[in-house]
Amino acid sequence: MSYLYVSEQGASIGIEANRFQVKYKDGMIKSIPVETLEMIEVFGSVQITTRCLTECLKRGVNILFYSTSGAYYGRLISTSHVNVQRQRIQAEIGHNETFKLEMSKRIIDAKIRNQVVVLRRYARGRDEDIHRMIIEMQNMQKKLPYAKSVEQVMGYEGTAAKIYFKVLGKLIDEQFVF
């Protein structure tokens, strides 16, 4: 999916032959197939045809409006792509403590696993011994299945994150150290 940014003052956005077209004051035209566009962002005095607006609403293409200096004005969003049934299910699940606990365990397990992979990649070819720290992170990961609350999961996540950022700070280039 692609984004379309139009900041040239006086440009206009329309639709022709199943393509979004940007026409500039100097006569240049750029076009993008309607199937590939996800969002349009316009800055300042840029015109959008009614046909284009209608097509964006039908296809769920959001349009964001900014000043020429980038101050946000607002957005045009289609509600036709909202799945109300899915939203109701999500709202119901949000009150299910067992679901929240199990989902948080899965998310944090994946996060710690990925952090370990990142550390190992950065450690390749370096003279840093990170083995002990990785074991400590993996110990936090092993405790996750036994967590009885989301707060406990957050504690394991926090401990693993503290170790991760400490080790990552030693492995990245000095100019990026934090």
Side-chain angles (χ1 to χ4, degrees):
M1 300 304 276
S2 58
Y3 283 52
L4 173 62
Y5 299 92
V6 182
S7 60
E8 186 170 317
Q9 303 308 290
S12 67
I13 306 170
I15 190 156
E16 287 291 327
N18 215 29
R19 296 179 73 85
F20 288 106
Q21 289 191 337
V22 182
K23 295 180 182 176
Y24 296 95
K25 287 192 293 188
D26 65 2
M28 184 172 63
I29 297 175
K30 292 187 178 178
S31 70
I32 299 171
V34 294
E35 298 84 18
T36 64
L37 195 59
E38 182 178 341
M39 185 174 303
I40 299 173
E41 299 194 32
V42 296
F43 296 82
S45 182
V46 175
Q47 303 297 314
I48 304 175
T49 67
T50 305
R51 278 189 58 215
C52 181
L53 289 172
T54 303
E55 195 64 30
C56 287
L57 289 168
K58 285 179 184 176
R59 294 182 174 273
V61 175
N62 296 332
I63 304 174
L64 282 73
F65 297 91
Y66 302 92
S67 71
T68 53
S69 62
Y72 176 72
Y73 287 144
R75 63 178 19 192
L76 176 72
I77 301 174
S78 170
T79 58
S80 66
H81 291 77
V82 174
N83 185 330
V84 176
Q85 187 61 30
R86 182 184 312 143
Q87 287 182 337
R88 286 186 179 139
I89 293 169
Q90 289 170 339
E92 287 176 27
I93 288 173
H95 299 293
N96 182 329
E97 295 302 318
T98 303
F99 174 82
K100 288 194 295 191
L101 177 60
E102 293 307 312
M103 182 58 76
S104 65
K105 288 178 183 180
R106 291 169 66 183
I107 291 169
I108 302 310
D109 179 75
K111 178 184 177 191
I112 295 172
R113 189 174 333 110
N114 287 331
Q115 286 175 329
V116 167
V117 168
V118 168
L119 292 179
R120 285 184 174 148
R121 284 185 184 154
Y122 273 99
R124 284 186 200 146
R126 297 210 181 241
D127 195 25
E128 287 285 337
D129 182 18
I130 64 167
H131 183 70
R132 191 182 100 251
M133 299 299 225
I134 285 179
I135 289 173
E136 287 181 36
M137 289 177 68
Q138 289 172 330
N139 285 339
M140 294 299 110
Q141 187 179 10
K142 289 176 185 174
K143 291 180 180 183
L144 287 171
Y146 306 105
K148 301 288 185 219
S149 68
V150 172
E151 291 76 15
Q152 202 172 7
V153 171
M154 290 169 63
Y156 297 145
E157 175 190 18
T159 302
K162 181 179 178 182
I163 297 165
Y164 172 76
F165 285 109
K166 181 179 179 182
V167 174
L168 185 62
K170 294 177 182 178
L171 296 175
I172 60 176
D173 291 336
E174 287 183 23
Q175 64 189 19
F176 299 111
V177 172
F178 45 87

